[in-house]
Amino acid sequence: MSAQRLVEQFESLEKQDHAARLAMWMFLGSETLLFGALFAAYAYYRGMYPSEFVQALHHNSVALGTTNTVVLITSSFTVALGVHFVREGRARLTAGLFALSTLFGAVFLVVKGIEYSHHIHENALPAGMYAFAERPPAGVVLGFTLYWFMTALHGLHVIAGMIMLAVVGLLCWKGRYGVHRNVAVENVGLYWHLVDVVWIFLWPLFYLTD
Amino acid sequence: MISAHVTTPKLVVSWIALLVLTFLSFGSSLLGLGEAELFIALGISVVKTFVVLFIFMHLVEQRFANRLIVILTFLFIVLLVTLTVADPLTRKTFPPRPDPAASPYP
């Protein structure tokens, strides 16, 4: 079975897996640069409107943000455990751990949804839709626009990651991946860890530092 | 190729370390240190990222080519963010920002 998996442009399975892994790291690098541009925008406008950004940040619920940080870190841990077990040939355990991680992703989205509904209720919306009575516009609008854009883009990555975790988890359960074939499982894990790393930076920038 | 194997105890320790760092980050935000808070929080985030990269993402046991991509990404972000932020932080001749009264929705 392993020999059949080797496509003709590679000499060995080891090189084929290395190519897959390297390509994933390159993809993650480009994803990081996408978020990097948004972090640059955040730094630019926070430098320009320091006090207004603090006003915008004071509005976010630290409790909900911290809950989400713990949830995502724990999901990253279960994904890492899953990748570890598929390498040891315990693919069924991996399937269970990936299902648990997908569930953690859903919890994250529910908590984020509660926060969003609070913001929508108060009209603390991005750009021209902003009509929050308690805080004046100007720099605060930029703070909320960046908050919505960055967390929503991150949320889309969470959804994409959940879909991939669910699919690969199912294939693990069906016995497609094992000791000799697991680079796809590993790459999906890498994607999920990137989602975690992005949140590790979003959390202090939008919840803590005021 | 594989020089260090990531084991289950290492994963558990990393997870606990990440939770402790999260708690530290949260705790330091309550101290009211002003501007320094931002740099402390980002510093802790960088440490957490290293834990995730090397243990959870197995970078510790992979080829240098994969690490090189991480290093390049990091350098690019530092370069781009620094150059971008240098603009608003060094404005002396122009007003530092638009007049909020003139355009309330920038």
Side-chain angles (χ1 to χ4, degrees):
Chain A
M1 183 186 145
S2 298
Q4 287 170 2
R5 184 160 76 86
L6 183 66
V7 291
E8 63 182 321
Q9 67 266 36
F10 292 107
E11 279 175 16
S12 66
L13 276 176
E14 196 202 345
K15 284 190 179 174
Q16 183 174 315
D17 285 350
H18 173 64
R21 217 174 274 131
L22 183 66
M24 192 65 195
W25 278 102
M26 281 179 179
F27 171 65
L28 296 186
S30 69
E31 284 273 61
T32 315
L33 287 176
L34 167 70
F35 277 101
L38 291 167
F39 284 119
Y42 178 95
Y44 184 93
Y45 287 116
R46 189 170 173 144
M48 209 177 237
Y49 299 96
S51 58
E52 284 91 339
F53 257 63
V54 171
Q55 283 187 40
L57 291 175
H58 268 306
H59 188 61
N60 285 335
S61 161
V62 180
L64 291 179
T66 309
T67 308
N68 264 350
T69 306
V70 172
V71 167
L72 264 201
I73 283 175
T74 308
S75 75
S76 235
F77 168 64
T78 52
V79 165
L81 273 183
V83 171
H84 174 69
F85 284 125
V86 79
R87 285 170 158 198
E88 306 211 319
R90 296 162 77 180
R92 287 269 164 123
L93 196 54
T94 302
L97 285 164
F98 274 25
L100 186 65
S101 314
T102 314
L103 201 69
F104 279 131
V107 171
F108 176 89
L109 288 178
V110 167
V111 174
K112 202 84 210 85
I114 293 170
E115 284 190 274
Y116 279 160
S117 71
H118 284 312
H119 294 317
I120 292 168
H121 188 68
E122 289 164 328
N123 286 319
L125 295 165
M129 290 184 284
Y130 186 86
F132 187 23
E134 282 177 40
R135 319 261 184 218
V140 187
V141 184
L142 283 168
F144 272 108
T145 307
L146 281 170
Y147 163 77
W148 276 94
F149 198 82
M150 291 169 88
T151 54
L153 186 66
H154 176 262
L156 286 179
H157 281 78
V158 172
I159 294 169
M162 280 168 68
I163 294 169
M164 288 193 277
L165 280 176
V167 170
V168 168
L170 197 66
L171 291 173
C172 276
W173 184 262
K174 286 185 170 175
R176 178 155 167 188
Y177 301 114
V179 184
H180 300 293
R181 180 177 192 180
N182 51 40
V183 75
V185 183
E186 211 177 294
N187 281 351
V188 168
L190 289 180
Y191 186 83
W192 191 258
H193 295 312
L194 175 87
V195 171
D196 185 32
V197 166
V198 171
W199 184 259
I200 284 177
F201 283 94
L202 288 181
W203 175 59
L205 289 181
F206 285 112
Y207 293 90
L208 292 186
T209 53
D210 49 26
Chain B
M1 174 189 156
I2 292 173
S3 53
H5 194 61
V6 175
T7 54
T8 318
K10 280 185 193 166
L11 291 174
V12 175
V13 169
S14 311
W15 176 52
I16 293 168
L18 286 173
L19 290 181
V20 168
L21 286 168
T22 302
F23 179 75
L24 268 183
S25 197
F26 177 70
S28 70
S29 79
L30 299 176
L31 296 175
L33 299 171
E35 275 295 292
E37 259 182 28
L38 185 62
F39 296 101
I40 292 171
L42 288 179
I44 293 175
S45 290
V46 170
V47 175
K48 284 160 85 177
T49 303
F50 271 103
V51 174
V52 173
L53 279 173
F54 279 94
I55 309 296
F56 282 4
M57 296 170 96
H58 295 102
L59 205 58
V60 70
E61 57 184 38
Q62 288 180 10
R63 292 189 188 184
F64 181 72
N66 296 5
R67 284 181 218 179
L68 183 66
I69 291 172
V70 178
I71 294 166
L72 287 177
T73 307
F74 177 76
L75 289 179
F76 259 108
I77 288 184
V78 168
L79 179 74
L80 295 174
V81 172
T82 311
L83 289 179
T84 311
V85 178
D87 165 24
L89 293 184
T90 55
R91 287 189 190 185
K92 296 283 182 253
T93 48
F94 296 106
R97 54 186 180 166
D99 180 13
S103 58
Y105 296 97

